[in-house]
Amino acid sequence: MRHINLIISIIAILCQIQANAQTLTDTHTRIFDKSFKSLRASVVGNDYAPPVIKFGSTDKIKIEFDQLSPEMQYLRYSVVHCDANWQPSQLVDSEYTDGFNEANVENYSFSSATFAHYVHYDITIPNDDMNFLVSGNYLLKVYPEEDSETTYLQVRFSLSEDCIDIIPEITSRTDIDYNKANQQLSIEVDTREYYVDNMYEDLKISIIQNSRTDNMVSVNHPMRVAGRKAFFEHNRDLIFPAGNEFRRFEMTTTNYAGMGIEGYAYHDPYYHVILKTDEPRAFGSYIYDRTQYGRFTIRYSDAYDSDTEADYMIVHFQLRMPELNGGKMYVDGEFTQHNFESANLMHYNHNTQCYELDLMLKQGAYNYQYLWVPDGTSVGKTSTVEGDFYQTVNEYQIMVYNRKRGERYDRLIGTSIIYSGE
C-alpha cells in the first residue's frame, strides 16, 4: 500500500511539474494600468525602426509613455532576458545585466497647456545604470517604486550580435497561390565565420509581419544546408496573408479636419475626434498608400515639444458593415500594442449599422486596420474587412537565433528587414 501511495505521489508531482512547464508567461508589449498611454519603443535616431540594436554598439533604444495624472510618480524598471520564444530564459540577473537589474525612471516632464494633465516619461537603454552582457530578447517592466510586484506596463526589445548574413526574398508567387492573396518568404542564412554545431538543428528563425505578434512565425529547421549556409524555403509557415495598406488619420491640430477626420467637437473636459466612417475594403481594388506599417507618431503642429504639448482626445472609430457572428472585431495598430483586449474591442451599434469604438489617444498621426478574430483563435484575419492583396507593401522582420552547446540562452545572431512589393 505504501508503494502505491508513493507511486501516486510521484505521479502527482510529475503532473504538477509538467503543468507548470506548460504555463506560459505573458511577455507581450502591454499596458496593465489604464492611466498609462502612448507606449512606444524605438531606436534612437530612427523612430520607425523596430526596437532592435546591435549588441555592444553605441546604439540606444528609447521607451516612452505617459501617465494621465497631474503629479509625477516614482517609477522603477527592470529587465527579463527571454529565449527565442519570448519566454524567460534560464539566466539569472547577474548573467545578463552589468550591476543591479533595477533602476529609477529619472526622465520625466509635465504636460503644458493641455486639457488632459499627464506626465511624460522616457527610458533610454543601455545606460550608466543598466548595461547588458548577452544578446537576445529582453522584456522591460515598469512598476511603482514601492511595489515591484505590480507591473504598470512592459515592452519588448532585442540586442543582436549581427555576426551572420541574412539574405531574404519575398514573392507573391507562393506555393498556394499566384499573385492573389498571399506573400511567401525564402531566407538564406550564411553563418560566415560564426560556428554552428549543427546547421539543421541549432538555428531558429522568427518572422514578424508589421510588428504583429499574433501571427508571428517560428521555423526550427531549414529546408536544406550547403556548407555554412542554411536555406529556409518552400515552407508553408513562411506564407503570410498579404493584407492591405494600413488606414491613416492625422489629428495634429483642431484648426481644420486633417486626413481621415470628419470633424472635432469639444465636450468638457476633452476634444472629441470624429473619424470618417470606414467601409470594408475586402471586395474592392487594391490602392497603394505609403504608410508606416501600423506605427504612430506623436505630433501637435503648434507645439515646440509635442511630447508635453500634444493633448489627449477621444477618437471615435466607426466601421459600417453588417454584424458578423462567430468572432470579434478589433482596431489594430502600434497604439493598441497589436493586442486583442477589451480596450480595442469594437461593439456593434444596430442603430448606426456600424462597429464602433472610442479610444483616448494623443495628438499625432496614426496607422490602423480592422482585424477579425474568429472564436477559438488568437490570430487576427485581414481578409474579413481589409482584404488580402498580393501588391500590399508589408514590413517583415527576420530574427535568427542560436543556442550553443552548454549554454542556457538563445543568442540573437542576426536580424534583417525586408519589404514586400519593393
Side-chain angles (χ1 to χ4, degrees):
M1 190 66 172
R2 289 181 181 177
H3 294 312
I4 294 176
N5 290 337
L6 179 60
I7 293 172
I8 293 175
S9 298
I10 292 173
I11 293 174
I13 292 172
L14 292 175
C15 290
Q16 183 62 47
I17 292 173
Q18 184 178 11
N20 292 337
Q22 293 176 347
T23 301
L24 299 179
T25 301
D26 180 5
T27 65
H28 291 86
T29 295
R30 192 182 300 278
I31 294 174
F32 296 101
D33 187 301
K34 293 181 180 180
S35 67
F36 288 85
K37 306 287 184 183
S38 303
L39 174 61
R40 283 205 71 200
S42 60
V43 176
V44 173
N46 188 351
D47 288 342
Y48 295 115
V52 180
I53 58 174
K54 184 176 181 179
F55 173 64
S57 72
T58 58
D59 294 339
K60 306 285 185 181
I61 288 174
K62 189 173 186 179
I63 296 165
E64 301 177 88
F65 54 90
D66 296 337
Q67 184 180 21
L68 296 176
S69 172
E71 300 178 352
M72 64 84 59
Q73 184 175 359
Y74 291 103
L75 303 174
R76 294 179 70 79
Y77 65 93
S78 61
V79 296
V80 178
H81 188 269
C82 296
D83 62 19
N85 296 320
W86 286 99
Q87 290 298 291
S89 70
Q90 299 177 37
L91 301 182
V92 298
D93 293 3
S94 60
E95 292 179 288
Y96 60 84
T97 54
D98 183 11
F100 293 104
N101 182 14
E102 192 173 32
N104 295 321
V105 180
E106 297 179 339
N107 295 331
Y108 64 89
S109 50
F110 296 94
S111 60
S112 175
T114 56
F115 290 103
H117 299 292
Y118 62 88
V119 183
H120 177 75
Y121 298 88
D122 70 80
I123 303 167
T124 301
I125 48 176
N127 54 47
D128 292 339
D129 294 322
M130 188 172 294
N131 207 347
F132 304 101
L133 303 176
V134 299
S135 68
N137 296 329
Y138 285 85
L139 182 74
L140 181 142
K141 295 186 175 186
V142 175
Y143 44 87
E145 182 183 48
E146 68 282 359
D147 183 9
S148 61
E149 298 300 317
T150 300
T151 303
Y152 284 153
L153 58 89
Q154 62 187 30
V155 60
R156 292 177 172 183
F157 67 94
S158 301
L159 306 181
S160 174
E161 297 181 20
D162 288 351
C163 58
I164 62 170
D165 287 330
I166 303 172
I167 302 95
E169 293 184 358
I170 190 164
T171 181
S172 56
R173 298 180 291 276
T174 76
D175 291 344
I176 60 174
D177 62 5
Y178 188 96
N179 288 349
K180 287 186 179 181
N182 297 282
Q183 297 170 347
Q184 182 166 357
L185 281 83
S186 298
I187 301 166
E188 175 188 333
V189 175
D190 185 348
T191 60
R192 301 187 306 194
E193 303 302 319
Y194 180 86
Y195 181 73
V196 177
D197 290 320
N198 187 326
M199 295 286 287
Y200 276 106
E201 299 294 334
D202 295 343
L203 290 176
K204 181 175 184 176
I205 65 172
S206 294
I207 300 92
I208 305 167
Q209 182 194 53
N210 299 326
S211 299
R212 288 172 56 184
T213 55
D214 62 301
N215 65 343
M216 183 177 73
V217 167
S218 294
V219 180
N220 296 334
H221 309 288
M223 174 67 71
R224 60 187 177 92
V225 171
R228 307 309 303 165
K229 297 181 180 180
F231 297 86
F232 297 82
E233 56 193 5
H234 296 294
N235 188 319
R236 292 294 182 95
D237 291 336
L238 298 181
I239 300 176
F240 288 79
N244 204 339
E245 307 296 345
F246 280 84
R247 302 173 191 254
R248 297 191 291 160
F249 71 89
E250 294 186 359
M251 52 175 190
T252 58
T253 179
T254 57
N255 295 328
Y256 58 87
M259 177 188 299
I261 294 176
E262 189 68 36
Y264 293 92
Y266 179 76
H267 302 289
D268 191 29
Y270 303 120
Y271 269 99
H272 289 243
V273 183
I274 296 86
L275 299 184
K276 293 180 179 178
T277 301
D278 287 318
E279 306 281 349
R281 301 184 293 173
F283 303 104
S285 300
Y286 170 79
I287 299 176
Y288 172 75
D289 184 21
R290 185 168 184 80
T291 70
Q292 288 71 50
Y293 315 106
R295 298 183 174 93
F296 71 92
T297 302
I298 298 302
R299 186 170 71 248
Y300 170 39
S301 60
D302 296 331
Y304 173 76
D305 182 1
S306 292
D307 287 340
T308 56
E309 296 176 50
D311 214 336
Y312 276 89
M313 301 180 177
I314 308 300
V315 180
H316 300 267
F317 293 84
Q318 278 196 325
L319 171 64
R320 181 181 290 115
M321 63 179 294
E323 183 178 16
L324 303 177
N325 297 315
K328 295 180 175 64
M329 191 77 70
Y330 292 89
V331 174
D332 171 72
E334 183 188 32
F335 61 98
T336 69
Q337 296 85 54
H338 296 288
N339 293 320
F340 304 132
E341 299 180 325
S342 59
N344 59 316
L345 172 63
M346 305 193 79
H347 299 279
Y348 197 76
N349 186 331
H350 291 276
N351 294 326
T352 61
Q353 300 291 292
C354 291
Y355 282 95
E356 298 178 348
L357 176 67
D358 301 337
L359 283 176
M360 192 177 197
L361 300 176
K362 198 174 184 179
Q363 282 180 284
Y366 287 79
N367 284 192
Y368 69 103
Q369 64 181 348
Y370 297 106
L371 293 182
W372 174 254
V373 181
D375 291 340
T377 70
S378 58
V379 178
K381 296 180 62 176
T382 48
S383 59
T384 305
V385 177
E386 306 296 357
D388 289 318
F389 300 91
Y390 74 90
Q391 305 98 318
T392 302
V393 181
N394 290 303
E395 177 187 87
Y396 292 92
Q397 180 184 0
I398 301 158
M399 318 276 278
V400 181
Y401 303 90
N402 169 241
R403 178 173 297 199
K404 288 183 174 295
R405 290 183 182 178
E407 292 186 336
R408 294 176 293 112
Y409 75 99
D410 294 324
R411 295 170 177 257
L412 178 56
I413 58 175
T415 64
S416 180
I417 291 179
I418 187 173
Y419 297 91
S420 59
E422 292 189 348

